[in-house]
Amino acid sequence: MKAEKGDKYTQNEELKLKFENVIATGVWIKTVGQIIETIGVSNLYLINEDPTSGDEKVLSAVWIETVGQFLQTIGVSQQISATNEQITFQAQELEIIGVSLKSLAHAIEAIGGIEILQEEKRTDIMDFIP
C-alpha cells in the first residue's frame, strides 16, 4: 500500500512495505498449515467409526476456520497491492470478515473439544482432540 498524505509511515515507507510483505508471507504460511490441518481432521473424522456431536463440531469449526483464514489471507494480500483507498477498504473488510470467522470457529471448536473431553471422562476411552 503506497503512502498517502496523512499516512503514519511517510518517513519509513520502504520499511513499512517490507514488514507488510513479511506479514503477508506469514499469513500465507498459516493458510497452508490450515489447509493441511483441515485435510487431516476431515480424514480422521471419515475413519471415525462412532463420531460424536463433539467430533462434528470440531470438524465444522476447522472448515469454518479454513474459510476465515483464506479470506484473511486474500484481504491482507489485496491491501499490499491496493492502488486506491476503495480497494484498500474492501481488502480490510475482507480481512476482518476472515478474522471474525476464525474467532467463531475457535469458539465452536472449543465447545466441541469440551464435549469430546467430557465423553472421554465418562467412558474412559481416550481419543485425539485436534
XYZ file of all heavy atoms in Angstrom, residues 36-48 50-52 54-59 62 109 112-121 123-130:
326
model
N -3.677 -28.025 5.545
C -3.155 -29.335 5.950
C -3.935 -29.858 7.153
O -4.327 -31.035 7.193
C -1.643 -29.246 6.256
C -0.855 -28.966 4.966
C -1.142 -30.519 6.949
C 0.589 -28.565 5.204
N -4.190 -28.995 8.137
C -4.963 -29.410 9.311
C -6.365 -29.852 8.908
O -6.874 -30.874 9.388
C -5.068 -28.274 10.325
C -5.886 -28.649 11.544
C -6.113 -27.505 12.519
O -5.691 -26.363 12.241
O -6.745 -27.765 13.559
N -6.995 -29.111 8.009
C -8.359 -29.436 7.573
C -8.412 -30.798 6.892
O -9.334 -31.590 7.135
C -8.896 -28.336 6.637
O -8.855 -27.090 7.336
C -10.317 -28.618 6.200
N -7.428 -31.080 6.073
C -7.361 -32.397 5.415
C -7.210 -33.497 6.470
O -7.908 -34.511 6.429
C -6.210 -32.438 4.390
C -6.527 -31.516 3.209
C -5.948 -33.869 3.914
C -5.342 -31.242 2.291
N -6.324 -33.290 7.417
C -6.102 -34.288 8.460
C -7.333 -34.515 9.327
O -7.730 -35.662 9.575
N -7.963 -33.432 9.776
C -9.152 -33.558 10.628
C -10.293 -34.209 9.852
O -11.013 -35.064 10.383
C -9.567 -32.183 11.191
C -10.920 -32.254 11.887
C -8.508 -31.650 12.164
N -10.450 -33.830 8.589
C -11.518 -34.413 7.766
C -11.315 -35.906 7.578
O -12.265 -36.699 7.704
C -11.577 -33.718 6.397
O -11.909 -32.365 6.538
N -10.097 -36.308 7.297
C -9.810 -37.738 7.115
C -9.963 -38.512 8.421
O -10.476 -39.639 8.423
C -8.422 -37.938 6.521
C -8.385 -37.593 5.048
O -9.339 -37.844 4.329
N -7.287 -37.016 4.604
N -9.539 -37.915 9.529
C -9.708 -38.556 10.828
C -11.194 -38.752 11.123
O -11.610 -39.818 11.599
C -9.049 -37.706 11.920
C -8.951 -38.306 13.313
C -8.108 -39.574 13.304
C -8.361 -37.283 14.274
N -11.994 -37.749 10.803
C -13.437 -37.856 11.011
C -14.035 -38.967 10.139
O -14.890 -39.725 10.601
C -14.113 -36.512 10.709
C -15.610 -36.544 10.916
C -16.148 -36.361 12.186
C -16.470 -36.764 9.853
C -17.519 -36.399 12.391
C -17.844 -36.807 10.045
C -18.370 -36.622 11.320
O -19.727 -36.669 11.516
N -13.569 -39.056 8.893
C -14.113 -40.067 7.972
C -13.858 -41.498 8.436
O -14.665 -42.390 8.161
C -13.535 -39.876 6.566
C -14.037 -38.647 5.799
C -13.264 -38.481 4.504
C -15.538 -38.753 5.533
N -12.745 -41.719 9.126
C -12.448 -43.079 9.580
C -12.964 -43.343 10.997
O -12.857 -44.455 11.493
C -10.943 -43.414 9.487
C -10.121 -42.526 10.415
C -10.471 -43.323 8.037
C -8.680 -42.952 10.562
N -13.536 -42.326 11.627
C -14.106 -42.480 12.969
C -15.355 -43.348 12.867
O -16.302 -43.022 12.162
C -14.456 -41.108 13.541
C -14.890 -41.157 14.986
O -15.355 -42.181 15.477
N -14.750 -40.025 15.658
N -17.487 -44.067 15.199
C -18.606 -43.630 16.033
C -18.445 -42.141 16.367
O -18.208 -41.769 17.518
C -18.656 -44.469 17.315
C -19.915 -44.234 18.121
O -20.927 -43.785 17.545
O -19.875 -44.491 19.338
N -18.565 -41.264 15.359
C -18.374 -39.837 15.620
C -19.463 -39.283 16.545
O -20.623 -39.680 16.466
C -18.443 -39.194 14.240
C -19.149 -40.178 13.381
C -18.909 -41.526 13.961
N -19.050 -38.388 17.405
C -19.959 -37.764 18.360
C -20.321 -36.357 17.892
O -19.745 -35.841 16.923
C -19.312 -37.675 19.745
O -18.188 -36.776 19.655
C -18.851 -39.040 20.247
N -19.503 -33.774 19.461
C -18.270 -33.004 19.651
C -17.348 -33.120 18.452
O -16.750 -32.131 18.016
N -17.240 -34.335 17.909
C -16.419 -34.541 16.711
C -16.947 -33.714 15.548
O -16.178 -33.112 14.800
C -16.411 -36.020 16.307
C -15.717 -36.914 17.318
O -14.682 -36.508 17.865
O -16.234 -38.027 17.542
N -18.263 -33.692 15.402
C -18.879 -32.916 14.318
C -18.632 -31.428 14.488
O -18.370 -30.716 13.510
C -20.382 -33.210 14.255
C -20.688 -34.625 13.795
C -22.155 -35.002 13.946
O -22.965 -34.163 14.389
O -22.482 -36.163 13.619
N -18.697 -30.962 15.733
C -18.434 -29.545 15.994
C -16.994 -29.180 15.638
O -16.730 -28.149 15.022
C -18.737 -29.197 17.448
C -20.212 -29.066 17.753
C -20.410 -28.699 19.223
C -21.881 -28.560 19.569
N -22.610 -29.818 19.616
N -16.066 -30.029 16.041
C -14.653 -29.770 15.743
C -14.435 -29.742 14.232
O -13.779 -28.835 13.701
C -13.737 -30.809 16.431
C -12.309 -30.705 15.912
C -13.769 -30.614 17.948
N -14.990 -30.707 13.527
C -14.836 -30.756 12.075
C -15.423 -29.499 11.428
O -14.766 -28.859 10.593
C -15.505 -32.000 11.498
C -15.475 -32.123 9.968
C -14.036 -32.271 9.468
C -16.340 -33.295 9.517
N -13.204 -26.459 12.109
C -11.959 -26.429 11.329
C -12.239 -25.941 9.904
O -11.458 -25.172 9.338
C -11.273 -27.812 11.357
C -10.141 -27.895 10.350
C -10.754 -28.112 12.756
N -15.021 -24.832 18.030
C -14.046 -25.900 18.239
C -13.814 -26.158 19.727
O -13.688 -27.310 20.153
C -12.732 -25.554 17.540
C -11.726 -26.676 17.523
C -10.514 -26.383 16.660
O -10.379 -25.264 16.131
O -9.686 -27.303 16.514
N -16.783 -28.107 20.997
C -16.652 -29.498 20.559
C -15.593 -30.245 21.339
O -15.786 -31.404 21.729
N -14.471 -29.594 21.573
C -13.393 -30.217 22.343
C -13.821 -30.537 23.766
O -13.487 -31.602 24.307
N -14.572 -29.636 24.384
C -15.084 -29.880 25.737
C -16.021 -31.078 25.730
O -15.956 -31.939 26.616
C -15.791 -28.619 26.278
C -14.753 -27.525 26.570
C -16.598 -28.943 27.538
C -15.346 -26.150 26.825
N -16.889 -31.154 24.723
C -17.803 -32.299 24.623
C -17.028 -33.609 24.479
O -17.363 -34.610 25.121
C -18.758 -32.125 23.437
C -19.825 -31.086 23.664
C -20.770 -30.945 22.484
O -20.812 -31.833 21.600
O -21.486 -29.929 22.436
N -15.993 -33.606 23.645
C -15.181 -34.817 23.464
C -14.503 -35.199 24.774
O -14.501 -36.367 25.174
C -14.142 -34.616 22.334
C -14.841 -34.461 20.986
C -13.148 -35.782 22.307
C -13.924 -33.987 19.863
N -13.944 -34.217 25.467
C -13.265 -34.476 26.729
C -14.232 -35.027 27.770
O -13.905 -35.992 28.488
C -12.607 -33.195 27.244
C -11.798 -33.304 28.522
C -10.634 -34.275 28.345
C -11.287 -31.931 28.924
N -15.426 -34.478 27.860
C -16.420 -34.978 28.803
C -16.797 -36.425 28.478
O -16.960 -37.254 29.379
C -17.659 -34.081 28.806
C -17.418 -32.738 29.446
C -18.577 -31.777 29.285
O -19.422 -31.920 28.409
N -18.603 -30.757 30.144
N -16.944 -36.718 27.187
C -17.264 -38.079 26.757
C -16.126 -39.042 27.133
O -16.364 -40.165 27.580
C -17.524 -38.115 25.250
C -17.874 -39.465 24.694
C -19.268 -39.952 25.084
O -20.081 -39.140 25.565
O -19.529 -41.152 24.916
N -14.881 -38.583 26.965
C -13.730 -39.412 27.329
C -13.736 -39.721 28.823
O -13.472 -40.849 29.237
C -12.424 -38.714 26.960
C -12.143 -38.687 25.476
C -10.859 -37.950 25.153
O -10.246 -37.330 26.042
O -10.460 -37.996 23.977
N -14.031 -38.712 29.626
C -14.058 -38.920 31.080
C -15.181 -39.874 31.474
O -15.030 -40.671 32.393
C -14.221 -37.580 31.797
C -12.982 -36.720 31.744
C -13.196 -35.394 32.446
C -11.948 -34.543 32.420
N -12.149 -33.246 33.096
N -16.523 -42.299 29.562
C -16.357 -43.658 29.027
C -14.985 -44.259 29.277
O -14.775 -45.440 29.028
C -16.603 -43.664 27.507
O -15.623 -42.831 26.872
C -17.997 -43.186 27.164
N -14.034 -43.450 29.722
C -12.642 -43.885 29.888
C -12.013 -44.315 28.567
O -11.062 -45.096 28.542
C -12.519 -45.024 30.916
C -12.668 -44.529 32.340
O -12.299 -43.362 32.608
O -13.145 -45.300 33.192
N -12.546 -43.859 27.457
C -11.966 -44.132 26.140
C -11.300 -42.839 25.658
O -11.976 -41.841 25.403
C -13.033 -44.582 25.118
C -13.684 -45.885 25.598
C -12.402 -44.756 23.735
C -14.886 -46.303 24.748
N -9.988 -42.870 25.575
C -9.236 -41.681 25.173
C -9.241 -41.551 23.649
O -9.191 -42.539 22.937
C -7.793 -41.750 25.684
C -7.679 -41.828 27.187
S -8.362 -40.390 28.043
C -7.258 -39.120 27.547
N -9.304 -40.305 23.191
C -9.331 -40.015 21.766
C -8.365 -38.887 21.490
O -7.763 -38.322 22.409
C -10.758 -39.632 21.348
C -10.987 -39.741 19.846
O -10.062 -40.146 19.116
O -12.097 -39.405 19.403
N -8.215 -38.535 20.266
C -7.365 -37.419 19.848
C -8.276 -36.221 19.605
O -9.236 -36.318 18.856
C -6.603 -37.794 18.574
C -5.719 -36.692 18.052
C -4.502 -36.417 18.645
C -6.117 -35.923 16.967
C -3.691 -35.404 18.164
C -5.307 -34.920 16.465
C -4.087 -34.652 17.068
N -7.976 -35.109 20.247
C -8.741 -33.877 20.032
C -7.869 -32.942 19.187
O -6.869 -32.428 19.665
C -9.126 -33.197 21.353
C -9.950 -34.134 22.221
C -9.912 -31.900 21.070
C -10.278 -33.593 23.601
N -8.247 -32.749 17.918
C -7.407 -31.899 17.057
C -7.511 -30.434 17.422
O -8.478 -29.977 17.934
C -7.966 -32.161 15.662
C -9.286 -32.797 15.826
C -9.371 -33.317 17.215
